Every structure is written in structure tokens, then in C-alpha cells.
Amino acid sequence: MWSTTLLLLLVGNYVEAQNTLHAKAWAGSATKFNFPEMDVESVKGKINNAICFPGGGSRAYTSALGVLRALNKLGVMDDVRYISSISGGNWAGAAYTFRENEISDDEFLGDPLSPSELTVAELKKFPSPGTMSYNIPKLTDDFVTGNLRPADKIFGGLVELTGQLLTADDSKKPAILQEIAGLIQQSPDPRDMWMSQIQYYFFTTLGIPVDKHMALNTEQVQEIKSRNNHLQDSDFTVARSNQPFLIMGGTIVGPAKLAPIQLNAIHASVTSIQMTPMYIGSSFSQSMTYESSNTSIPDETLPLGGFVESFAFSANAPSSISSDVAQAAQTSAGTTLTLEEPSSPFALAQASGISSYFIGDIWSQLPLPIPDLVPRFPLFPVEENAKSEEMLMVDGGVLENTGLLAMLQRKVEHVTVFDCSSNTLNESVNLKSLFGMADDKVGLGFDYTKNTVFTKEDYQRMMTGLNGQLEQDKPAVFGMQLTTKANTWWGIPDGQSVHLTWVYYEPTQAWLGALPKETQQLLDTPELKPFPRYPTANLSLTQLQTKMLSQLTTSIVMNSSDTILKGLGLSGPSTTQKPGHKEDDTPTRIVEIVAGIVGGMILLAIVFIAINSAQKNREVSYTTMETFSEEQEKVQVDDESNSPPYHQMEDIP
């Protein structure tokens, strides 16, 4: 009798241990944010800077590829503290951060090419699997040849039908809704279709496995396993060592049980969720009121705020959080919660899929069963007596598309935003939204009016600087020191200082003119048009389009490296060769050779004079060629910058 009871007790304890997770958690705050990565030496030991990759689908991914290629060539990626990424920009940030294939970064990112090297034959070279250039052309090739997987075809069909539904007459909408419902029934897991596509096209080819927990480093994995014995044999997807700390921005729409969400209320309630290798959640504590389109369902007000370790995200709230535990969660060390283990890990594909779930905001508002397609995960505030609520989560660009505001929450001092907007510079919503210049609705389902952190006067200064660069046929790269306006929606205080460098992708006439004639002729044809601002909705960019775009952004960064490195708080201009004008290098090299010869002759003459004039006690000084070059560059910059100080106006070398 006793032995049976003991056996049952042991089995019960074993099952409980297998079904629970012991995870660290940190409380949110309305005033003082607590970011766990600042206790990690590899993060806090770096300069307080960040690069931001905004959303924009395949255009954003491809643009970010070019930036990473350039920064890697400049040798500065180890000196960057944060990558803040949204949607398509996140595909690039996540692929770079988590890739597990054993090739060098140089091979993974590809070589920078000068415009003269971008021949049609070069543009048509299909990239190798496992490289970052491979993913978009592979997706496009499968689309063109009809080799998409069944689930990918269903998802594409649902997106197409949604477009028809939004523009159809009321009399035609019931038939379209019925067709949508039929397609949903054809998928075994409708909510996973997009995540599966992201995994297949962006992560599997890079050796990133499916359904593994995320972690920042091996130290965090060891600590997690020490708290959770049943995970001893589990593999984790771990961020590569010494890389920038990755933040993947998503948007919380509201409780799944309230779907469809009320159209006129949705943008009064959307909030940010930040997904990282180390933790997931929201730094800013706030209470949100959500409204359903179904008038029989009452409004609901829910508290939000706090982080939980990424490996335990999507677990339900613990049975109780005591006041002592809640108090401990407010420290940088956090607290440990006992949670019920989810049925499957919240993997990288889920995080990146949420960040880029571009149609989720619209689907959340449409009649059932369409909202059933939207990803939803349990979420609870890290506070006393917390309760879980299944929340709809969608594209980070629904709320904020640059990634900058997450950096301002962290008080990052040097931020560079690489703007891949599909609009012209003067109409870049990414830029306008930060300075209070965005319209109430900048697109279907998007509202950026809550993102103002700078003044309209500063917007004019920024635009003067960027347009001034273009007028001189220089890359649109400009940096300035800014002071924030208070933003209560994001918890950003008044008077916070940040140096913001903005990089806008516009080819100079010099770059275009250096392209081979055959490539120039393609610019106004369907093969490359509308280069470089391909529509966000067009995920299927061709090999020609992706190579042209990524090499353009590489060239812009390399040829503006002094300003970009200075904007990131990194010392001195890079000595790495800047591609993009290789065809103009010959005169420079001739000058360098002649200068070297002359320098050698001068050196011999100086030695001769020194020997023969020692009795005269003459002091002879000379400048090495390296110093000579630096002084000449300084004179050139000084001559060109008869202009306001650096924080107001920066010339691009």
C-alpha cells in the first residue's frame, strides 16, 4: 500500500517536473525600464550604439543584406551593440545573428562589387545555397516555376482573396468570404503557414533548425538547463558569439477572444512586443482597453508589461505571483517563475514570423473565420496575481516600422537607421512618423501618429541635410544630434539625447553612370523597374533585382563610411577599401605611386641634408606619406564644410 502510494507520488513529481519550466522573468515599468541584456558583459561592454533595419518585405531584407556586407567589410560588426529590426528587416537580422552553417561572413554576405562590375551576366549569376543572397531568388524561382509548397500556395491565395474582399461590392463579399473559409479548411495548421514559409526560405538553408528554443549564448543555455533537468538533452538555437544583440519588433493587437477587433478602436490599443534571443515581452507597463466588433462581447482592460526568458515564452502565467516575487522581478537580476511548459517551443520562425506578419492586422479586423489565421500566444504581465490572456500578434510595422523607438527606450546614444522606404525621400513615412509628420493613417491598417519623439523643426533640419547630399550627387546619409520630446505611449522621456544618422537608399548619378551600358538600359524595363523602390507587397524579387539593390546599399554605406562610423560612435574613418567607384581608382593609384616615389626621394634628400648640415644645427622635419594623405583629406573636408557644426550638418566623403 505504502509502496504504491510512494510510486504514484514519485511518478506524479516526475510528470510535473517534465511539464513545468523554471524561467527567469523581469517586471515592466512605466518609468524605469529594466533590460536584462545590460547584465551581459558582451553587450554592456560595447559602445552604446545600434543599427536599425526597418520593415519592407523582400526589399528590406535585400537592402539590409547590402548594409551587413558593407559593415562586415569595414570590420565593425563586433563593435555594434544592437540590431533593431522589423518585418523584412528582421529576416536579415535574424539570419545574420542565428545562422549555423559553417562558412565565413565574407562568403555568407558576398563580395562588394563596383557598379562597373554589375554586368547583366554578373547580375544573373544565381547565388549558392547557404548564402544570404540565396533566399529571395529561391522564393521567386519557386513562385515562377510553380514549385511553391501547398501551404505557401494556400497562404498566397488567402492574401489575394483578402485584397479582393477589401475592394469588392457588398453583394460580392459573402461569396469571397466563403471561398476564404474553404481555403482555410485546406490547411492542417492555418496559423503556422506563414511561420513555416519563413523557416523554409530564410532559416533552413542556413542550418537554423525547426522547433528549438532560443537563447543568447551557451552560458544562458547552461543556466536554463541547471534549472530544468528535463531539458539537459535539448538543443537550443543560440545567437552567434559577439554579434549585436538582436531585437525583433512585433505588435500586440488584442485578445483573441475579442476578434474581430473593432475597426475604429484597433489603433487605440496596439502595443509593442520585443522578441530577443534572451527574453520576450514588453518593457513598458500599461493598461490597455480592447473592443470587439461583436457588440455582445464587453470591452476588456488588461495590464501589459514585463519579460520572460525566450525559451519559456508562450507559457501560461503561474498559478500565482506573490508580492515578494513581483518585487524581485523589478531588479536587474529578475526572478524565477514556475510555468507550465508549452506543447512546442517558441522558435525563431515564430518570432520572425510575427515580426513580419504583414496582413495580420487586417485579418484581425475582418469577419470570422479570417481572424483564426492570426498568430496568438498566451501573454501575462510580470506582476502580482497575474493572469494569462491569449493575444493576437502581428507585424511590428503596424505600430512602428523603424526599430528606433525600442532603442530610445534603452537610451542608446548613437543610432543609425537604414531607411528602405518604398516612397521618395520627401515622402518617407519611416522618417516622417518620428517627427510628428505622419498622417493619421499612412496605409491600410497602419497608424504611426503615436511615434513622435522629435520636433517638426528637427525634421526640416534632417531633410535639409539629406537633400543637400543628393543635390551634390552624394549618398543621402546625414547625422545630427537630437533631443527627444516626451512620448507617453512608448515611455520615452523629454530631453533624452541621441545622435541619429539616417541613411536613405537613392543611387547617385555617378553610381548609375558607372554601370555598364547594357545594365543601364535595363533600368527602365520590367526586369529592373522600379529600382530601387520595389513595392513591399512584391515578395518575389528576381536575382537581377536583388543583386542590384544589395550592391547599391553596399556602395552607399562604403562610400559614406566616415559619417556612418562617426554616427555609431566608432573611432576614425575605416581604412578598408571602398568599392562602388573602382572604375575611378586608376588615377588615384597613379597619384599614390608617384607620391610614393617622390616621398622616397624626399626621404633620401632629407637624410643627405641632415648629414651634410649637422654643423649648422638645422632642424629638418618631414611628413610620411600616410600622414600627408590624412592631412590632405582633412584640408579637403575643411574646405568643403564651410557649414554649421557636425550636429547640424555632415558632409559625406
Side-chain angles (χ1 to χ4, degrees):
M1 176 68 177
W2 285 106
S3 61
T4 302
T5 303
L6 180 60
L7 178 61
L8 290 173
L9 181 62
L10 291 173
V11 169
N13 288 338
Y14 174 77
V15 171
E16 181 181 1
Q18 291 292 97
N19 292 331
T20 58
L21 294 175
H22 302 287
K24 294 183 73 172
W26 298 264
S29 173
T31 55
K32 186 179 180 181
F33 297 151
N34 186 14
F35 295 105
E37 71 269 19
M38 291 315 299
D39 280 346
V40 178
E41 185 58 41
S42 62
V43 178
K44 69 178 181 181
K46 294 185 178 182
I47 292 172
N48 191 14
N49 62 17
I51 57 177
C52 296
F53 293 145
S58 295
R59 183 190 67 252
Y61 173 88
T62 304
S63 301
L65 159 61
V67 173
L68 289 168
R69 178 190 293 133
L71 295 178
N72 173 66
K73 189 61 67 174
L74 291 168
V76 299
M77 284 305 296
D78 287 352
D79 300 319
V80 177
R81 179 182 283 185
Y82 288 107
I83 292 177
S84 184
S85 59
I86 305 289
S87 198
N90 169 247
W91 301 339
Y96 177 81
T97 301
F98 283 100
R99 72 178 184 88
E100 295 187 8
N101 51 348
E102 296 181 359
I103 61 175
S104 68
D105 280 351
D106 287 345
E107 184 179 354
F108 177 65
L109 297 169
D111 293 326
L113 299 175
S114 70
S116 63
E117 293 176 297
L118 297 177
T119 63
V120 173
E122 176 64 39
L123 293 174
K124 287 184 176 180
K125 288 181 182 177
F126 206 84
S128 302
T131 63
M132 196 167 168
S133 301
Y134 175 77
N135 305 325
I136 299 297
K138 167 63 175 170
L139 170 62
T140 302
D141 190 59
D142 286 353
F143 177 78
V144 172
T145 59
N147 288 330
L148 290 173
R149 301 174 307 162
D152 300 336
K153 292 179 180 178
I154 292 173
F155 189 87
L158 289 168
V159 173
E160 184 177 350
L161 286 170
T162 301
Q164 295 177 20
L165 180 67
L166 294 171
T167 57
D169 296 334
D170 289 345
S171 61
K172 297 180 180 179
K173 288 182 178 180
I176 298 174
L177 282 171
Q178 188 173 1
E179 194 172 353
I180 289 175
L183 266 185
I184 292 174
Q185 291 177 356
Q186 292 181 32
S187 174
D189 192 352
R191 293 173 200 158
D192 192 54
M193 287 188 292
W194 180 246
M195 279 74 164
S196 174
Q197 190 170 358
I198 297 302
Q199 173 66 42
Y200 180 72
Y201 282 106
F202 293 98
F203 300 146
T204 298
T205 59
L206 306 182
I208 301 172
V210 181
D211 292 340
K212 284 190 178 180
H213 298 295
M214 288 189 294
L216 178 62
N217 50 36
T218 54
E219 290 79 6
Q220 187 186 15
V221 172
Q222 292 169 358
E223 187 181 346
I224 289 170
K225 290 184 175 182
S226 71
R227 289 185 256 114
N228 299 273
N229 287 330
H230 68 289
L231 297 180
Q232 290 298 327
D233 297 327
S234 298
D235 290 330
F236 282 69
T237 300
V238 180
R240 295 191 299 143
S241 62
N242 206 37
Q243 295 305 309
F245 188 85
L246 177 68
I247 298 172
M248 302 172 272
T251 301
I252 301 169
V253 172
K257 66 185 181 184
L258 297 187
I261 303 293
Q262 178 64 33
L263 279 166
N264 61 11
I266 187 167
H267 295 296
S269 57
V270 292
T271 52
S272 168
I273 183 167
Q274 296 171 13
M275 299 163 284
T276 81
M278 186 180 187
Y279 59 81
I280 296 175
S282 174
S283 56
F284 190 30
S285 290
Q286 52 189 327
S287 292
M288 305 302 303
T289 298
Y290 302 97
E291 184 179 347
S292 174
S293 292
N294 187 340
T295 55
S296 65
I297 301 177
D299 297 351
E300 186 159 2
T301 300
L302 298 172
L304 299 174
F307 298 119
V308 65
E309 281 183 293
S310 302
F311 87 98
F313 183 75
S314 77
N316 283 304
S319 55
S320 65
I321 297 180
S322 67
S323 58
D324 291 343
V325 171
Q327 187 71 26
Q330 296 177 22
T331 66
S332 61
T335 191
T336 300
L337 301 179
T338 300
L339 307 170
E340 182 180 349
E341 186 169 16
S343 57
S344 61
F346 186 86
L348 179 61
Q350 277 69 44
S352 193
I354 286 173
S355 180
S356 59
Y357 210 84
F358 63 98
I359 201 166
D361 178 41
I362 297 171
W363 280 351
S364 299
Q365 306 173 44
L366 296 178
L368 293 169
I370 297 176
D372 292 338
L373 294 165
V374 181
R376 71 277 315 275
F377 294 93
L379 192 67
F380 62 88
V382 182
E383 61 181 37
E384 190 174 355
N385 301 320
K387 298 187 182 303
S388 292
E389 188 68 57
E390 196 172 56
M391 304 292 276
L392 302 175
M393 300 180 187
V394 302
D395 196 308
V398 167
L399 177 61
E400 199 274 315
N401 198 45
T402 69
L404 173 65
L405 299 188
M407 298 298 92
L408 294 180
Q409 288 180 330
R410 289 165 173 77
K411 299 190 184 320
V412 177
E413 297 170 343
H414 307 273
V415 183
T416 298
V417 177
F418 295 93
D419 185 6
C420 64
S421 175
S422 61
N423 300 315
T424 63
L425 173 59
N426 291 334
E427 296 302 321
S428 171
V429 177
N430 289 337
L431 185 57
K432 282 186 167 185
S433 64
L434 302 170
F435 293 83
M437 301 291 290
D439 297 332
D440 288 348
K441 251 190 176 175
V442 298
L444 183 59
F446 294 78
D447 179 3
Y448 292 157
T449 57
K450 296 182 177 67
N451 300 337
T452 301
V453 286
F454 305 123
T455 67
K456 293 180 179 180
E457 291 75 17
D458 282 335
Y459 175 78
Q460 297 302 327
R461 293 171 58 207
M462 178 67 78
M463 290 302 298
T464 298
L466 290 168
N467 281 312
Q469 293 299 119
L470 293 177
E471 289 168 4
Q472 299 177 64
D473 200 35
K474 295 180 179 181
V477 180
F478 181 74
M480 58 190 291
Q481 198 72 30
L482 293 169
T483 302
T484 59
K485 293 175 56 178
N487 184 309
T488 57
W489 194 261
W490 288 86
I492 294 169
D494 189 62
Q496 184 175 316
S497 181
V498 60
H499 187 279
L500 176 63
T501 302
W502 202 268
V503 181
Y504 177 79
Y505 305 136
E506 179 71 27
T508 63
Q509 291 304 307
W511 190 87
L512 292 171
L515 293 169
K517 294 298 182 186
E518 58 177 353
T519 304
Q520 292 183 33
Q521 292 169 0
L522 288 179
L523 289 173
D524 289 326
T525 70
E527 290 192 79
L528 285 178
K529 198 175 181 179
F531 176 79
R533 285 179 281 279
Y534 300 113
T536 302
N538 181 15
L539 298 180
S540 302
L541 298 184
T542 67
Q543 167 58 16
L544 272 74
Q545 293 169 334
T546 56
K547 195 155 198 173
M548 277 285 285
L549 180 55
S550 73
Q551 289 295 341
L552 169 66
T553 59
T554 296
S555 176
I556 287 172
V557 174
M558 296 296 283
N559 287 289
S560 307
S561 61
D562 292 350
T563 296
I564 289 173
L565 295 184
K566 189 175 181 180
L568 288 171
L570 302 177
S571 59
S574 171
T575 58
T576 307
Q577 183 184 20
K578 301 178 186 179
H581 291 286
K582 288 184 181 177
E583 67 284 358
D584 298 325
D585 283 348
T586 302
T588 302
R589 288 172 184 155
I590 292 173
V591 171
E592 288 175 350
I593 291 169
V594 172
I597 294 171
V598 173
M601 294 174 65
I602 291 172
L603 180 60
L604 289 173
I606 288 171
V607 172
F608 179 82
I609 292 170
I611 293 172
N612 288 277
S613 305
Q615 70 276 15
K616 297 181 180 179
N617 213 17
R618 293 176 58 190
E619 181 178 329
V620 179
S621 66
Y622 64 94
T623 307
T624 65
M625 288 310 300
E626 180 179 358
T627 308
F628 175 77
S629 299
E630 291 176 358
E631 290 180 353
Q632 288 296 96
E633 181 178 359
K634 183 176 186 300
V635 170
Q636 182 180 3
V637 170
D638 289 343
D639 287 344
E640 290 177 357
S641 61
N642 228 350
S643 59
Y646 171 73
H647 72 277
Q648 295 180 6
M649 178 72 70
E650 291 181 5
D651 276 331
I652 308 305

